[in-house]
Amino acid sequence: MPKIVDARITVTRPGRNFVTLKVICDDGTTGVGDATLNGRELAVASYLGDHVVPCLIGRDAHRIEDIWQYLYKGAYWRRGPVTMTAIAAVDMALWDIKGKVAGLPVYQLLGGAVREGCTVYGHANGTSINDTIAAALEYQAQGYKAIRLQCGVPGMASTYGVSKDRYFYEPADAALPSENMWSTARYLRVVPDLFKAAREALGWDVHLLHDVHHRLTPIEAGRLGRDLEPYRPFWIEDATPAENQDAFRLIRQHTTAPLAVGEIFNSIWDCKDLIENQLIDYIRATVVHAGGITHLRRIAALADLYQVRTGCHGATDLSPVAMAAALHFGLSVPNFGIQEYMRHTAETDAVFPHAYGFADGMMHPGDAVGLGVDIDEDLAAQYTYRPAYLPVNRLEDGTLWSW
């Protein structure tokens, strides 16, 4: 059995900051895991280097579940984004090792494929409705069957999801958090017009999605959902902060628009009540922030009992390592719904060579052994970390709001 003899942590910035763990075994087999926590990267790197890696040395790399439980229960201080991102990195690396030793891609170890590929959605954004529709038409021409729509809000200098570049959006844009302005009233007026224009331009054979980014109260979210119902949204994402999960019960009372939430969730306990009470339709917990493949499978199994499907986060704060892991998971889980996909820059792709690919609106992890992705450590060393924080949001009167 392969014994863990070393583990290296790489912090690099090929376009944006990433933290990567490489686990090394005594037979020379290596595995990689993503440990990126946007805006808090060094906290995870320290947690891994100071507290996790020393506990891995000498352990049997095949004992994935046992090591997961050891890192979760053994720390006493459970859950939280730093802990669960660190555990996820170890978990991904161990599945990568197991696949390489077995000579199989990870999805085969998870029971094999239950679909031909993972349907993904792209991000269409623009400063105006017309700009967003133009971007959406480009995605449709590229074969995307699902597209997220975000547009600028009149009177606001900046809007979440709207970038200077149509394809490469990175909101962590400053060494200290920049401040944005927000108006719920103006936002609620523009989104229905955006969806109306999208249906007129794109037709009804493409799924349309929208991300609220936790900015509405439950009753405001219910109003938005009702306004969008005629345009059949695939989902409304993060309609309201999920700390008070009964808030989603109130939204349900006012709209039949499907609801998605969970990209900032860290464990099954964050979404247990939402799933069991069928207050959501899609769970967006991600492989890198919710404890890796091992724990995400547990979340999906619970969700499957209640006809809740997966819709995992997949923005560029997931490195290609996590994207590969998400695709192996998505290809094998029965209640897969959709996978977010934001393409990485050429610099990122060069640092993380990978086997996954996109065609006809779907992605496939490929059939390379393990996760099918690696890190070029020499190239990564040429890109130096620098602080990059997510913005904060304020209402027009100065009140701090959810960004």
Side-chain angles (χ1 to χ4, degrees):
M1 297 298 179
K3 296 290 184 183
I4 299 171
V5 296
D6 196 10
R8 295 194 294 266
I9 300 152
T10 300
V11 182
T12 184
R13 187 185 174 82
R16 71 160 332 277
N17 293 319
F18 295 109
V19 181
T20 308
L21 177 71
K22 175 167 277 191
V23 175
I24 301 115
C25 296
D26 57 358
D27 63 356
T29 307
T30 63
V32 290
D34 186 6
T36 306
L37 184 61
N38 203 355
R40 298 294 185 271
E41 297 89 355
L42 298 185
V44 185
S46 173
Y47 190 94
L48 282 167
D50 296 333
H51 305 294
V52 173
V53 168
C55 296
L56 295 177
I57 306 305
R59 295 190 177 276
D60 180 354
H62 277 332
R63 298 186 64 174
I64 298 175
E65 181 67 38
D66 181 67
I67 290 175
W68 196 98
Q69 296 293 337
Y70 177 83
L71 294 176
Y72 181 81
K73 295 178 178 176
Y76 185 71
W77 309 106
R78 302 181 185 184
R79 301 190 288 161
V82 173
T83 295
M84 297 304 282
T85 300
I87 291 175
V90 175
D91 189 74
M92 283 182 249
L94 296 184
W95 279 106
D96 193 22
I97 289 168
K98 189 177 284 288
K100 290 173 180 175
V101 172
L104 292 169
V106 166
Y107 76 83
Q108 294 288 13
L109 305 179
L110 302 177
V114 296
R115 56 188 53 82
E116 298 306 309
C118 299
T119 299
V120 298
Y121 67 89
H123 288 214
N125 69 84
T127 56
S128 68
I129 289 176
N130 288 340
D131 286 346
T132 299
I133 299 306
L137 287 167
E138 290 183 18
Y139 275 104
Q140 189 178 43
Q142 294 169 26
Y144 283 81
K145 306 297 192 300
I147 302 168
R148 193 185 83 166
L149 304 172
Q150 310 289 143
C151 78
V153 175
M156 299 288 99
S158 63
T159 303
Y160 167 76
V162 177
S163 64
K164 297 178 182 178
D165 189 298
R166 283 186 176 178
Y167 293 118
F168 302 109
Y169 173 57
E170 177 48 61
D173 60 358
L176 290 174
S178 57
E179 295 200 2
N180 295 339
M181 201 69 71
W182 178 251
S183 168
T184 297
R186 299 185 193 192
Y187 164 79
L188 288 175
R189 289 196 296 268
V190 74
V191 178
D193 290 341
L194 171 63
F195 267 70
K196 182 177 186 292
R199 280 294 175 219
E200 291 173 352
L202 280 74
W204 292 88
D205 292 331
V206 60
H207 296 301
L208 302 180
L209 301 81
H210 180 69
D211 185 0
V212 179
H213 226 239
H214 311 105
R215 297 186 180 191
L216 300 180
T217 66
I219 201 66
E220 290 167 345
R223 184 187 307 158
L224 176 64
R226 183 171 293 182
D227 287 346
L228 295 184
E229 282 177 15
Y231 312 112
R232 295 294 188 267
F234 184 86
W235 76 33
I236 297 174
E237 176 186 344
D238 292 343
T240 195
E243 286 92 339
N244 173 18
Q245 299 194 354
D246 268 352
F248 283 79
R249 193 182 309 277
L250 181 56
I251 300 172
R252 280 285 204 223
Q253 294 171 1
H254 294 279
T255 182
T256 60
L259 301 175
V261 75
E263 71 178 50
I264 64 172
F265 289 176
N266 306 130
S267 82
I268 196 168
W269 303 105
D270 294 325
C271 53
K272 173 181 175 290
D273 291 345
L274 287 169
I275 290 170
E276 289 182 341
N277 291 299
Q278 295 179 281
L279 301 180
I280 58 173
D281 303 279
Y282 295 90
I283 178 63
R284 287 185 37 76
T286 181
V287 67
V288 66
H289 300 137
I293 293 171
T294 295
H295 195 61
L296 198 57
R297 292 178 76 201
R298 211 163 273 140
I299 292 172
L302 173 65
D304 195 26
L305 298 178
Y306 298 94
Q307 295 182 297
V308 174
R309 291 185 283 178
T310 67
C312 297
H313 177 65
T316 47
D317 59 344
L318 277 70
S319 84
V321 177
M323 178 55 71
L327 293 172
H328 284 280
F329 164 81
L331 198 67
S332 63
V333 69
N335 57 322
F336 170 84
I338 201 166
Q339 172 65 52
E340 181 179 18
Y341 174 49
M342 291 181 69
R343 64 189 70 186
H344 290 104
T345 64
E347 292 83 1
T348 297
D349 286 338
V351 169
F352 297 96
H354 53 267
Y356 64 74
F358 170 86
D360 300 323
M362 296 193 298
M363 294 183 72
H364 193 284
D367 286 310
V369 296
L371 292 176
V373 64
D374 204 349
I375 179 171
D376 184 330
E377 293 174 283
D378 292 334
L379 183 57
Q382 299 178 25
Y383 297 97
T384 304
Y385 166 86
R386 68 174 185 266
Y389 285 89
L390 294 167
V392 297
N393 227 24
R394 292 187 184 274
L395 299 181
E396 292 175 291
D397 68 357
T399 303
L400 196 70
W401 203 245
S402 296
W403 179 81

